[in-house]
Amino acid sequence: MVLSYSFFWEKAYRTLSEKQYEAVVIGYKKENIATKNFPTSGRYNKPVYFPRVKYTNFKGEEVIKTLDITDDHPPAIGQTLRITDSEANEDANSIELDWIMLILGCVFTGLAAFFTCLVSTYIKNETFKKRITLSLYGALVIIGLNVGCILLMILKH
């Protein structure tokens, strides 16, 4: 799973702004992603299966969409999931997420923000202690935003 700052923000926004539904997994959409094997530096394609779900929207119409996220163990066919969706989006927003992965992703994006801030402060003529302090504030802001988004998703769930 690829995590970015905007991943958390988009998931939280869609969770709050879209209507919530219960959907049933009816199949999978297969995509191949290029993966690199670090010990041998070789590349290979790995199949990833995104669950396709069916639900009835607020108009009473049956809708079939692919979820926006998956993991190594996708839900079984026939399993019921909670999602949010709107007509404007191609994919349905899965609310039932791996919370441990979200928390770890939140920490890692905070670390990325720290090092990004640290590198960007080298253009200023500041002491190392001040650069570290500014970088920590930048990391804490990103972690705070991500944690806020995760809490919004938990409360809406």
Side-chain angles (χ1 to χ4, degrees):
M1 174 166 67
V2 177
L3 295 174
S4 66
Y5 308 119
S6 63
F7 171 81
F8 295 100
W9 305 339
E10 180 185 2
K11 294 290 281 177
Y13 173 76
R14 287 187 68 186
T15 300
L16 291 175
S17 66
E18 296 176 348
K19 294 195 182 301
Q20 201 172 98
Y21 303 100
E22 287 203 3
V24 177
V25 178
I26 59 168
Y28 303 98
K29 176 184 172 188
K30 180 181 175 184
E31 288 187 17
N32 288 317
I33 59 169
T35 304
K36 185 174 182 180
N37 184 344
F38 289 104
T40 63
S41 295
R43 294 186 183 270
Y44 63 96
N45 285 336
K46 178 182 177 184
V48 178
Y49 298 93
F50 289 88
R52 291 188 53 78
V53 295
K54 178 172 71 173
Y55 67 94
T56 304
N57 67 9
F58 67 96
K59 296 178 183 176
E61 303 167 343
E62 269 196 1
V63 178
I64 297 175
K65 286 196 175 182
T66 304
L67 291 183
D68 61 349
I69 193 168
T70 190
D71 60 17
D72 290 338
H73 305 288
I77 292 178
Q79 185 175 344
T80 303
L81 302 173
R82 293 177 62 137
I83 64 166
T84 63
D85 192 33
S86 70
E87 292 178 352
N89 291 319
E90 239 179 75
D91 297 323
N93 181 36
S94 177
I95 298 176
E96 297 177 14
L97 301 170
D98 184 358
W99 298 109
I100 303 270
M101 187 62 187
L102 284 179
I103 292 167
L104 290 176
C106 181
V107 170
F108 286 125
T109 55
L111 284 173
F114 170 79
F115 287 111
T116 301
C117 291
L118 185 62
V119 168
S120 67
T121 58
Y122 276 101
I123 60 172
K124 294 183 176 184
N125 201 10
E126 303 288 346
T127 64
F128 187 67
K129 184 176 181 179
K130 187 165 185 177
R131 285 196 294 259
I132 292 289
T133 304
L134 288 171
S135 300
L136 283 173
Y137 285 137
L140 290 175
V141 165
I142 293 297
I143 289 173
L145 283 171
N146 290 345
V147 166
C149 290
I150 290 170
L151 290 175
L152 286 173
M153 287 186 281
I154 289 172
L155 293 174
K156 182 72 174 186
H157 182 63

Short mmCIF file of all heavy atoms in Angstrom, two decimals, residues 18 35 50 54 56 61-62 68-70 73 87 99 108-109 112 118 121 133 148 157:
data_model
loop_
_atom_site.label_atom_id
_atom_site.label_comp_id
_atom_site.label_asym_id
_atom_site.label_seq_id
_atom_site.Cartn_x
_atom_site.Cartn_y
_atom_site.Cartn_z
N GLU A 18 -19.44 11.82 1.95
CA GLU A 18 -20.24 10.94 1.10
C GLU A 18 -21.22 10.11 1.93
O GLU A 18 -21.04 9.92 3.13
CB GLU A 18 -19.31 9.99 0.32
CG GLU A 18 -18.41 10.71 -0.65
CD GLU A 18 -17.44 9.79 -1.35
OE1 GLU A 18 -17.28 8.62 -0.95
OE2 GLU A 18 -16.83 10.25 -2.31
N THR A 35 7.01 -4.63 -8.92
CA THR A 35 7.63 -4.73 -7.61
C THR A 35 9.11 -5.00 -7.80
O THR A 35 9.51 -5.74 -8.70
CB THR A 35 6.99 -5.87 -6.80
OG1 THR A 35 5.59 -5.63 -6.73
CG2 THR A 35 7.55 -5.94 -5.41
N PHE A 50 -8.37 -5.95 -6.23
CA PHE A 50 -9.22 -4.95 -5.60
C PHE A 50 -10.65 -5.49 -5.59
O PHE A 50 -11.18 -5.87 -6.63
CB PHE A 50 -9.19 -3.63 -6.37
CG PHE A 50 -7.89 -2.90 -6.25
CD1 PHE A 50 -6.86 -3.15 -7.13
CD2 PHE A 50 -7.71 -1.96 -5.24
CE1 PHE A 50 -5.65 -2.48 -7.01
CE2 PHE A 50 -6.51 -1.29 -5.12
CZ PHE A 50 -5.47 -1.55 -6.00
N LYS A 54 -21.13 -4.56 -4.64
CA LYS A 54 -22.46 -4.19 -5.14
C LYS A 54 -23.26 -3.67 -3.97
O LYS A 54 -23.25 -4.25 -2.88
CB LYS A 54 -23.14 -5.41 -5.76
CG LYS A 54 -24.54 -5.14 -6.27
CD LYS A 54 -25.10 -6.31 -7.04
CE LYS A 54 -25.43 -7.45 -6.12
NZ LYS A 54 -26.14 -8.56 -6.77
N THR A 56 -26.92 -0.86 -3.05
CA THR A 56 -28.05 -0.07 -3.54
C THR A 56 -27.86 1.36 -3.05
O THR A 56 -27.76 1.59 -1.85
CB THR A 56 -29.38 -0.65 -3.02
OG1 THR A 56 -29.44 -2.03 -3.41
CG2 THR A 56 -30.56 0.11 -3.59
N GLU A 61 -31.01 2.39 -6.89
CA GLU A 61 -30.36 1.72 -8.02
C GLU A 61 -29.22 0.86 -7.51
O GLU A 61 -28.51 1.23 -6.58
CB GLU A 61 -29.79 2.76 -9.00
CG GLU A 61 -30.80 3.72 -9.56
CD GLU A 61 -30.14 4.90 -10.27
OE1 GLU A 61 -28.94 5.14 -10.06
OE2 GLU A 61 -30.85 5.59 -11.01
N GLU A 62 -29.05 -0.31 -8.15
CA GLU A 62 -27.91 -1.15 -7.81
C GLU A 62 -26.67 -0.61 -8.48
O GLU A 62 -26.67 -0.30 -9.68
CB GLU A 62 -28.15 -2.60 -8.25
CG GLU A 62 -28.79 -3.42 -7.19
CD GLU A 62 -28.66 -4.91 -7.47
OE1 GLU A 62 -28.07 -5.33 -8.48
OE2 GLU A 62 -29.18 -5.67 -6.65
N ASP A 68 -11.33 1.37 -3.37
CA ASP A 68 -10.14 2.17 -3.64
C ASP A 68 -8.87 1.63 -2.98
O ASP A 68 -7.79 2.15 -3.21
CB ASP A 68 -10.37 3.61 -3.19
CG ASP A 68 -10.66 3.73 -1.70
OD1 ASP A 68 -10.89 2.70 -1.05
OD2 ASP A 68 -10.67 4.86 -1.20
N ILE A 69 -8.98 0.59 -2.16
CA ILE A 69 -7.82 0.07 -1.43
C ILE A 69 -7.99 -1.42 -1.21
O ILE A 69 -9.11 -1.93 -1.16
CB ILE A 69 -7.65 0.82 -0.09
CG1 ILE A 69 -6.29 0.53 0.52
CG2 ILE A 69 -8.77 0.50 0.86
CD1 ILE A 69 -5.96 1.45 1.68
N THR A 70 -6.87 -2.11 -1.11
CA THR A 70 -6.90 -3.54 -0.83
C THR A 70 -5.68 -3.89 0.01
O THR A 70 -4.86 -3.03 0.31
CB THR A 70 -6.91 -4.37 -2.14
OG1 THR A 70 -7.17 -5.73 -1.82
CG2 THR A 70 -5.62 -4.24 -2.91
N HIS A 73 -4.76 -9.78 1.93
CA HIS A 73 -5.86 -10.71 2.16
C HIS A 73 -7.18 -9.98 1.92
O HIS A 73 -7.82 -9.53 2.87
CB HIS A 73 -5.81 -11.27 3.58
CG HIS A 73 -4.49 -11.89 3.91
ND1 HIS A 73 -4.08 -13.09 3.39
CD2 HIS A 73 -3.47 -11.46 4.70
CE1 HIS A 73 -2.87 -13.37 3.84
NE2 HIS A 73 -2.48 -12.40 4.63
N GLU A 87 -21.68 9.55 -6.79
CA GLU A 87 -21.72 9.28 -8.22
C GLU A 87 -20.51 9.84 -8.94
O GLU A 87 -20.12 9.34 -9.99
CB GLU A 87 -23.00 9.86 -8.82
CG GLU A 87 -24.25 9.16 -8.36
CD GLU A 87 -25.51 9.80 -8.93
OE1 GLU A 87 -25.40 10.86 -9.57
OE2 GLU A 87 -26.59 9.23 -8.73
N TRP A 99 -6.28 -0.51 10.60
CA TRP A 99 -5.95 0.66 11.41
C TRP A 99 -4.48 0.67 11.83
O TRP A 99 -3.89 1.73 11.95
CB TRP A 99 -6.88 0.72 12.62
CG TRP A 99 -8.29 0.89 12.19
CD1 TRP A 99 -9.28 -0.05 12.26
CD2 TRP A 99 -8.87 2.02 11.55
NE1 TRP A 99 -10.44 0.46 11.72
CE2 TRP A 99 -10.22 1.73 11.28
CE3 TRP A 99 -8.38 3.27 11.18
CZ2 TRP A 99 -11.07 2.61 10.66
CZ3 TRP A 99 -9.25 4.16 10.56
CH2 TRP A 99 -10.57 3.84 10.31
N PHE A 108 5.24 7.17 9.59
CA PHE A 108 6.23 7.23 8.51
C PHE A 108 6.09 8.49 7.67
O PHE A 108 7.10 9.06 7.23
CB PHE A 108 6.18 5.98 7.65
CG PHE A 108 6.76 4.77 8.32
CD1 PHE A 108 6.01 3.62 8.46
CD2 PHE A 108 8.04 4.79 8.86
CE1 PHE A 108 6.54 2.51 9.10
CE2 PHE A 108 8.57 3.68 9.50
CZ PHE A 108 7.82 2.54 9.62
N THR A 109 4.87 8.95 7.41
CA THR A 109 4.73 10.21 6.68
C THR A 109 5.21 11.38 7.54
O THR A 109 5.73 12.36 7.02
CB THR A 109 3.28 10.45 6.21
OG1 THR A 109 2.40 10.38 7.32
CG2 THR A 109 2.88 9.48 5.12
N ALA A 112 8.90 11.35 7.08
CA ALA A 112 9.22 11.93 5.77
C ALA A 112 9.11 13.45 5.82
O ALA A 112 9.95 14.17 5.26
CB ALA A 112 8.28 11.37 4.70
N LEU A 118 13.89 19.23 7.24
CA LEU A 118 15.30 19.35 7.60
C LEU A 118 16.15 19.72 6.38
O LEU A 118 16.98 20.63 6.44
CB LEU A 118 15.81 18.05 8.22
CG LEU A 118 17.23 18.06 8.76
CD1 LEU A 118 17.36 19.09 9.89
CD2 LEU A 118 17.63 16.68 9.25
N THR A 121 15.54 23.35 5.21
CA THR A 121 16.05 24.42 6.06
C THR A 121 17.54 24.69 5.85
O THR A 121 18.07 25.65 6.40
CB THR A 121 15.80 24.13 7.55
OG1 THR A 121 16.42 22.89 7.90
CG2 THR A 121 14.33 24.11 7.86
N THR A 133 14.51 21.77 15.34
CA THR A 133 13.26 22.21 15.97
C THR A 133 12.20 22.50 14.92
O THR A 133 11.04 22.06 15.05
CB THR A 133 13.51 23.46 16.83
OG1 THR A 133 14.53 23.16 17.78
CG2 THR A 133 12.25 23.89 17.56
N GLY A 148 -5.74 13.37 13.14
CA GLY A 148 -7.06 13.97 13.11
C GLY A 148 -7.95 13.31 12.07
O GLY A 148 -9.13 13.02 12.32
N HIS A 157 -17.13 5.83 11.53
CA HIS A 157 -17.32 4.41 11.34
C HIS A 157 -18.27 3.89 12.39
O HIS A 157 -19.10 3.09 12.22
CB HIS A 157 -15.98 3.68 11.41
CG HIS A 157 -16.07 2.21 11.18
ND1 HIS A 157 -16.50 1.69 9.99
CD2 HIS A 157 -15.78 1.16 11.97
CE1 HIS A 157 -16.46 0.37 10.05
NE2 HIS A 157 -16.03 0.02 11.23
#
